[in-house]
Amino acid sequence: MPSLNPDEKLLQVVDGLAGAGFERIILVDDGSREETRGYFERAAAAHPGCVVLRHNKNLGKGRALKTAFNYFLNHRGDDLGVVTVDGDNQHCAEDVAACAALLEQRPDSLILGCRSFSGPDVPARSAWGNRISVWSFRLLCGVKVSDTQTGLRAIPWRFARDLLDLPGERFEFETNMLLETRRREIPIAEAPIRTIYIEHNATSHFHPLRDSLSIYRLLLRFAWSGIASAVCDFLLFLLLNRLLSSQGAAVRLLAATLGARLVSSAVNFLLNRACVFGRRAPVGQSLVRYYLLCAVQAAASYGGVLLVTAIPGFPTALAKLLVDGVLFLISFHIQREYVFERRGEKARDRRGAEV
């Protein structure tokens, strides 16, 4: 349980967890002010199984969770995993126990305690933030969850060990955790929990603007490569289309499409491999898959623009934007699912974990 500048609610959470049967509780003081540190000591004094780990200064929720994971792994014994809980009393002890029980049933899965955001007491920033992130995860990353912001998670010990190396020191760490489940093919199971907001979430250290930008930085990286290469493709297409203006429409569009796609595809492949999807599949394998996709996409772009520009007075530039906008979304999913995906990674990761 990471906490920054806690109050009486921290003691209520610890008492509730102990009452629900949790014997080992790890508190992380993430650089709290001196006048609030007494709450950690009171919790530890009241419950012998409660330990306090302390950061000298505020390092962020992600770092606090990693500190707790490291301690847990060094003192794990036969435990299957660890449960993360927020310290502001927004998680009922019964729901925490339910997530732990579900992890016992599914010891290889990440368990998420998921809230409902349809109630009248849910703050607007939380409701809208979750809706946007849910659809972003589903559309851009292929991760289907109903609550991306939940702090109640039951994590298998092997996955907790992998998370020690995961980038992210603040709230973006929890987002990166969800993305990492896809890379490592970790199943996700959801447990419905009660939705509790105390004083409209006034004690939360989540800042909608600052931390949303931090969270979506990784997601935006997926789109950045495509946009950069699309701009390159679009400008080259317009240039070649102008240079070949003396040619017939069919020849001009074909040459402009192929020339622009040849250059922009090389740019896109290098960016995707280095910055977006990572070097997961062997370069030769991913290169063949990528250019097979490019050939199909170029043909679709040419045919689509030719078809749209057959409409009297329809601008070529607008036709190009419309057609390639649709193809961009389709291409992204194919690249994520097939081009840069390395089959059999899950088995190799598990063999490595066993060693």
Side-chain angles (χ1 to χ4, degrees):
M1 185 189 311
S3 185
L4 174 65
N5 301 324
D7 54 21
E8 290 286 345
K9 290 191 284 293
L10 179 71
L11 301 178
Q12 296 171 10
V13 175
V14 175
D15 290 343
L17 292 175
F22 288 94
E23 298 178 357
R24 301 174 60 197
I25 301 172
I26 304 171
L27 301 181
V28 182
D29 175 4
D30 189 25
S32 298
R33 295 191 301 269
E34 185 68 32
E35 61 269 24
T36 65
R37 290 184 177 180
Y39 293 106
F40 294 101
E41 310 308 333
R42 289 168 58 184
H47 304 283
C50 180
V51 299
V52 178
L53 309 178
R54 177 160 285 135
H55 291 166
N56 186 56
K57 66 177 183 178
N58 177 242
L59 299 178
K61 187 178 184 181
R63 175 50 56 186
L65 287 173
K66 292 175 190 177
T67 296
F69 294 166
N70 188 67
Y71 180 90
F72 159 74
L73 291 166
N74 285 329
H75 302 82
R76 184 178 69 88
D78 295 327
D79 290 340
L80 294 175
V82 63
V83 185
T84 65
V85 184
D86 291 339
D88 52 6
N89 209 20
Q90 294 190 32
H91 297 145
C92 294
E94 294 81 1
D95 290 333
V96 180
C99 288
L102 186 54
L103 181 63
E104 291 181 337
Q105 300 173 25
R106 303 185 56 172
D108 294 326
S109 299
L110 172 65
I111 311 301
L112 301 181
C114 295
R115 303 159 292 179
S116 171
F117 290 85
S118 58
D121 296 331
V122 178
R125 68 172 183 174
S126 297
W128 280 105
N130 187 71
R131 291 190 189 102
I132 293 172
S133 59
V134 163
W135 282 104
S136 296
F137 267 84
R138 184 169 300 184
L139 178 64
L140 296 178
C141 310
V143 178
K144 297 180 180 179
V145 294
S146 60
D147 185 354
T148 62
Q149 301 170 22
T150 180
L152 177 52
R153 306 178 181 197
I155 304 170
W157 74 267
R158 286 192 179 90
F159 189 37
R161 186 175 64 182
D162 295 333
L163 294 176
L164 293 178
D165 298 322
L166 189 68
E169 300 299 293
R170 297 190 178 275
F171 283 97
E172 76 274 11
F173 174 74
E174 292 179 312
T175 297
N176 295 352
M177 184 191 303
L178 296 180
L179 297 176
E180 189 70 2
T181 62
R182 176 173 178 77
R183 193 183 78 82
R184 295 186 178 275
E185 299 183 16
I186 304 292
I188 296 177
E190 297 187 346
I193 63 174
R194 275 164 281 190
T195 305
I196 302 173
Y197 286 102
I198 301 173
E199 298 173 354
H200 296 282
N201 215 18
T203 59
S204 174
H205 297 284
F206 181 87
H207 299 274
L209 180 58
R210 184 194 69 193
D211 294 314
S212 292
L213 290 176
S214 181
I215 284 174
Y216 289 113
R217 185 181 300 133
L218 185 62
L219 299 180
L220 291 174
R221 191 179 302 162
F222 287 112
W224 173 81
S225 173
I227 293 173
S229 57
V231 170
C232 176
D233 181 83
F234 180 64
L235 294 177
L236 284 173
F237 173 83
L238 293 181
L239 177 62
L240 293 174
N241 187 60
R242 179 180 291 274
L243 292 176
L244 299 172
S245 58
S246 61
Q247 303 296 322
V251 174
R252 184 180 74 253
L253 290 174
L254 177 60
T257 298
L258 291 178
R261 190 54 49 87
L262 180 64
V263 176
S264 65
S265 64
V267 172
N268 187 245
F269 176 82
L270 294 174
L271 289 174
N272 285 350
R273 182 170 169 78
C275 305
V276 182
F277 300 102
R279 301 176 180 180
R280 300 176 62 187
V283 62
Q285 185 182 78
S286 59
L287 192 64
V288 171
R289 292 173 178 175
Y290 180 83
Y291 275 100
L292 178 61
L293 172 63
C294 282
V296 175
Q297 189 173 353
S301 178
Y302 163 68
V305 174
L306 187 63
L307 180 64
V308 174
T309 52
I311 301 174
F314 203 99
T316 302
L318 180 57
K320 178 69 172 174
L321 285 174
L322 291 175
V323 171
D324 281 3
V326 174
L327 291 176
F328 165 75
L329 295 176
I330 297 174
S331 174
F332 175 85
H333 287 279
I334 295 176
Q335 289 185 53
R336 186 192 67 206
E337 299 287 342
Y338 177 71
V339 174
F340 293 96
E341 181 69 16
R342 183 174 63 190
R343 306 303 176 188
E345 183 173 352
K346 180 180 181 181
R348 283 190 289 274
D349 284 344
R350 284 185 172 177
R351 285 198 295 271
E354 295 292 342
V355 174

